[in-house]
Amino acid sequence: MSKEQSGVIKAWEATIRKTQAAKKRANSIFGISLAHIPDDDHAASSSAASNGDEGSSSSGGDEGPGSTNGGGGGTECYYAEKVLPNGDYYSGQWYDNFPNGRGKYLWTDGCMYFGEWYKGKTMGRGRFSWPSGATYEGEFKSGYMDGTGTYSAANGDIYRGQWVMNLKHGHGIKHFANGDWYEGDWRRGLQEGQGKYQWKPTSNYYVGEWKNGNICGKGTFMWENGNRYDGQWEDGVPKGNGTFTFPDGSFYVGNWSKDPTEQNGSYYPSASPSAAAAHSGSQLEWDPQDVYNVYLADAQVCPCEKVAVLPSQKKLAVWNSSKHSEKARRLSVDGRVSVGVERAFERMNMWDGDDQGASSAAAAAAALGSADGSGSGARRDMEAELLGMMEMEESNFAASLNKMLPMRVPKAAKQQGDAICKGHKNYELMLNLQLGIRHSVGRPGPAASLDLKASAFDPKEKVWTRFPPEGSKHTPPHNCSEFKWKDYCPLVFRSLRKLFKVDAADYMLSICGDNALRELSSPGKSGSFFYLTHDDRYMIKTMKKAEVKVLIRMLAAYYNHVRAFDNTLVIRFYGLHCVKLTGPAQRKVRFIIMGNLFVSEYAIHRRFDLKGSSLGRITDKPESEIDSNTILKDLDLNFIFKLQKAWFQEFCRQVDRDCELLEQERIMDYSLLVGIHFRDVASNREIIPTKSEPPTPAEVEREEGPRLSKADMDQLLLDPTKWARIRLGMNMPARVERTVRRNDCELQLVGEPTGEFYDVIMTFGIIDILQDYDISKKLEHAYKSIQYDPTSISAVDPKQYSRRFRDFIFRIFAEDS
């Protein structure tokens, strides 16, 4: 990452916390109440706008829909037509100081939106047009193209289909200007999933799998002359097993590659003797490389155009505070300085003083007493009763406020773990590990293929290597005692690293570089120790022999599962090894290398380990000791996670698939590890809800630190390198809704929603997938079932565990509507 990119990202992280304040300031274009403007008198309203006379329309014409005779309160729906201070123009419905309903906004650069608004944001159906002639017509959500819509580009391309946050996402059809068209699945603005692409003016077409906007996976290409290819593709060309069939029925089958040295296969003539005799000579001379150089030469997929300016990047005119004035003053929409905003009398009375409620109660009691003619004693009794009721309401209100105190992110923790330096008890073990990894990954071997034979998964498939201090033919000299190194199923894990797109050089650099590993301060519940690489990308865990056996037993099913489902949430394994120390103890240390779920450019503020059980599932630390590294549990959870519709549907499908794998392999006691980064955090660590009140001008002036505009944030969001790092469970933009439990003493797993939302970045995955439901777990279940509710304990049958886990996960995750 370049210094410039790093600086931009740091600036974004420093200012994304203030996104809500920025949104509110943008909306404050409508910061003063408007006079009533009749729907049927546009000319009068235009005149009023040009003369700066907001009250001129109150004397003529019928009042607009929903208006009252009060006028000027800014709390009813009116029709407004205004030229804004920066030259922008708005006409349409207006409610509570915001465009609300149907309206048209014209920016000075020529962009225009006409459609539905909600509280100053494009929301609902509308049409956005660019000065280039491009248009989008369809659904909007919070300023984004989101839902179903049609985009007509200036170059003639037309897309009709689903959108999520300005990107094509879901099912859609795109007609390109040159006549080509594509129909199928889209993800993050590019073709991904199943789809069909047809080239014009020919009738050639492809049907099959796509990835990142290119043909990739299994699919079929049909030429208009009758030729056909069925098989694997990569980067838009055949790669792997495939069959090329000629119109006469003859075919060529084999392994395909653009590199002629890797191409191999066999030609089979047609079953028809006459066809075979007629074509055998020519087909024997046929070169499979013609498929790449001739047949597919013109089969280029049209690139997707980039929208220069997105609707969500278009700002509404904003008021600016003056740093030289003691009190910031807002500009009205026609450019005049406001001298104040009228408040409803009831609102003023509500907060005028601490004893306001008591005074009101006393006044009410006095009025009632005088009305029924009773004496002062009756009045005092009534007054006391009303005061008692008021105090009870205030007490209940205070109690609810105590439960809903503003949330703060926990204090930032120092980097996890202690560096294993010389003199550390595990220093030599770390050197053994690094030597062994460098040997295993760096030694030459056959090219890793994703199609593995059953023998590769055999438990006996392991390689022992001796590491004498003086070195050997295959090992370097070193300063440690002699040790032996074992690789379990090396070909499988080499293929897994290839499947997970792990570069061998980067992998070795992370684990075996000059930087020391870090040991976590305390072992896990199972007694295993954890080590982290210096860049936090990989986690190394020591294992018991029983866990190794479980992993080897389920390795084939695990491999086929992660190969079949790119979005699997199960933890990623990269290597399984053993170090055998040759001293008197003859100790064996087995360990697994895994991906660290929380390696992210976003700081993780909250971490949850969730199983769906309640017994012992609460953190025993006081609030003052909880920091950003603390792992919270089920009974600490106070959120419901809201995912966009497309992501939520994929999440539900993938959780079902992953749990079916674990249930099939008789695995239990796994959990969903969730990390949350709050996007809007104030300088005092208070988390800003998405529905919080706008900041005062003084608060705005006090904001410090680098800032990015919404346009800059949109560009970062649309940066392909950013989107490439967003997948199911990794760096996912989402929202969380705060929850509260009815009773602090009640073991209520999921609290009640409060309607308070926060913008977050989420990371999550399924971990601890190596606990077999063996005899020890069965005994644990039987013992604890006598003392506790059997449904509340973790050690249950894998089928029951899977069902309970899914039920819980689908209660705490929901579609963001």
Side-chain angles (χ1 to χ4, degrees), residues 78-306:
Y78 313 105
Y79 178 86
E81 189 169 353
K82 295 290 181 181
V83 178
L84 304 173
N86 66 346
D88 292 355
Y89 170 84
Y90 173 79
S91 66
Q93 291 174 299
W94 193 292
Y95 175 77
D96 196 21
N97 298 330
F98 297 98
N100 202 91
R102 292 190 65 80
K104 177 170 68 175
Y105 196 105
L106 178 63
W107 286 268
T108 54
D109 63 359
C111 292
M112 184 178 71
Y113 171 80
F114 177 75
E116 297 176 351
W117 297 77
Y118 179 72
K119 292 186 177 180
K121 296 180 181 179
T122 54
M123 185 84 77
R125 294 199 64 83
R127 176 186 172 91
F128 191 97
S129 60
W130 287 262
S132 64
T135 61
Y136 169 83
E137 189 165 356
E139 295 176 327
F140 287 80
K141 184 177 180 182
S142 298
Y144 292 93
M145 299 182 286
D146 199 302
T148 303
T150 299
Y151 176 78
S152 302
N155 65 359
D157 292 354
I158 298 176
Y159 169 83
R160 296 183 180 88
Q162 296 292 317
W163 297 76
V164 173
M165 293 183 69
N166 292 331
L167 294 177
K168 307 174 188 73
H169 195 92
H171 185 82
I173 304 174
K174 177 151 188 178
H175 293 270
F176 296 90
N178 65 353
D180 294 358
W181 59 267
Y182 169 87
E183 178 177 4
D185 297 332
W186 297 75
R187 292 180 68 83
R188 305 185 296 272
L190 298 172
Q191 299 97 323
E192 184 159 329
Q194 289 288 332
K196 177 179 180 179
Y197 191 103
Q198 181 154 338
W199 285 264
K200 292 293 184 180
T202 68
S203 298
N204 299 345
Y205 67 88
Y206 167 84
V207 179
E209 297 177 346
W210 295 71
K211 192 166 186 178
N212 291 330
N214 213 342
I215 298 173
C216 188
K218 189 174 183 179
T220 298
F221 195 107
M222 290 290 297
W223 284 265
E224 61 181 351
N225 64 2
N227 289 340
R228 171 185 180 126
Y229 172 82
D230 299 272
Q232 296 294 323
W233 295 73
E234 188 175 302
D235 293 331
V237 295
K239 175 72 172 178
N241 294 328
T243 302
F244 190 94
T245 306
F246 298 91
D248 63 359
S250 58
F251 61 94
Y252 173 92
V253 61
N255 182 69
W256 292 76
S257 176
K258 207 169 183 178
D259 182 354
T261 60
E262 296 180 3
Q263 175 85 38
N264 60 77
S266 302
Y267 170 75
Y268 296 88
S270 170
S272 168
S274 58
H279 296 282
S280 60
S282 60
Q283 298 301 344
L284 285 174
E285 298 174 0
W286 176 75
D287 186 358
Q289 290 298 305
D290 288 348
V291 173
Y292 301 96
N293 303 326
V294 180
Y295 297 175
L296 293 175
D298 298 326
Q300 300 299 316
V301 176
C302 291
C304 293
E305 82 294 339
K306 291 185 177 180

Side-chain angles (χ1 to χ4, degrees), residues 69 222 249 284 287 295 310 411 494 572 577 615 644 654 681 809-810:
N69 292 329
M222 290 290 297
L284 285 174
D287 186 358
Y295 297 175
L310 298 170
K411 58 186 178 183
R494 184 183 289 260
R572 296 186 170 192
H577 312 282
L615 182 61
Q644 286 276 349
Q654 195 57 54
V681 181
I809 295 303
F810 294 150

Side-chain angles (χ1 to χ4, degrees), residues 402-662:
N402 287 333
K403 289 183 180 179
M404 290 294 292
L405 290 174
M407 294 186 60
R408 296 174 183 269
V409 295
K411 58 186 178 183
K414 66 176 184 179
Q415 191 179 40
Q416 285 184 290
D418 300 318
I420 305 176
C421 301
K422 196 166 186 177
H424 191 284
K425 63 178 182 178
N426 288 325
Y427 178 70
E428 188 162 313
L429 179 63
M430 180 190 75
L431 296 181
N432 296 162
L433 166 68
Q434 292 176 327
L435 284 166
I437 293 291
R438 194 178 289 114
H439 169 76
S440 298
V441 178
R443 72 169 179 256
S449 170
L450 298 182
D451 295 317
L452 299 178
K453 297 179 180 178
S455 58
F457 302 94
D458 193 309
K460 297 178 181 178
E461 189 67 20
K462 44 197 170 187
V463 178
W464 278 103
T465 305
R466 180 172 159 269
F467 279 78
E470 67 276 9
S472 67
K473 182 178 179 182
H474 301 291
T475 63
H478 56 85
N479 296 323
C480 305
S481 302
E482 180 175 322
F483 68 95
K484 287 186 177 180
W485 173 264
K486 184 197 290 187
D487 278 324
Y488 295 89
C489 301
L491 188 57
V492 176
F493 286 101
R494 184 183 289 260
S495 299
L496 279 172
R497 293 193 292 271
K498 179 180 179 182
L499 186 66
F500 294 140
K501 296 181 172 55
V502 174
D503 181 76
D506 291 342
Y507 183 72
M508 284 194 291
L509 192 62
S510 291
I511 302 175
C512 313
D514 295 334
N515 299 90
L517 300 178
R518 303 197 311 275
E519 182 181 64
L520 299 192
S521 55
S522 59
K525 186 178 178 181
S526 64
S528 299
F529 282 86
F530 292 86
Y531 304 92
L532 281 170
T533 58
H534 71 95
D535 55 7
D536 288 333
R537 291 178 62 187
Y538 303 103
M539 181 174 284
I540 301 166
K541 175 189 175 185
T542 62
M543 301 179 71
K544 296 178 181 177
K545 186 175 182 180
E547 290 178 307
V548 173
K549 287 183 176 180
V550 170
L551 179 55
I552 296 295
R553 186 198 72 201
M554 64 178 290
L555 190 57
Y558 171 85
Y559 179 83
N560 292 330
H561 182 81
V562 298
R563 186 181 178 188
F565 303 112
D566 291 342
N567 283 333
T568 181
L569 298 175
V570 296
I571 191 74
R572 296 186 170 192
F573 294 137
Y574 299 115
L576 180 61
H577 312 282
C578 175
V579 170
K580 183 179 180 181
L581 306 177
T582 56
Q586 293 284 307
R587 186 164 65 105
K588 288 184 180 179
V589 181
R590 305 169 184 87
F591 53 88
I592 183 80
I593 301 177
M594 308 175 288
N596 181 13
L597 198 63
F598 290 151
V599 55
S600 170
E601 61 196 79
Y602 303 101
I604 303 297
H605 295 135
R606 289 281 187 187
R607 302 165 190 247
F608 293 96
D609 182 276
L610 306 171
K611 294 185 177 183
S613 58
S614 57
L615 182 61
R617 301 295 296 163
I618 191 168
T619 304
D620 54 4
K621 284 186 177 182
E623 183 69 27
S624 59
E625 295 182 15
I626 292 177
D627 59 30
S628 57
N629 285 338
T630 303
I631 303 293
L632 305 173
K633 300 179 184 177
D634 300 68
L635 294 177
D636 302 307
L637 181 65
N638 55 343
F639 297 112
I640 290 176
F641 308 112
K642 302 276 189 173
L643 304 181
Q644 286 276 349
K645 180 179 180 180
W647 282 118
F648 177 70
Q649 292 174 345
E650 177 62 22
F651 171 78
C652 293
R653 287 193 293 266
Q654 195 57 54
V655 168
D656 281 334
R657 294 165 182 157
D658 292 341
C659 287
E660 286 168 6
L661 166 74
L662 300 174

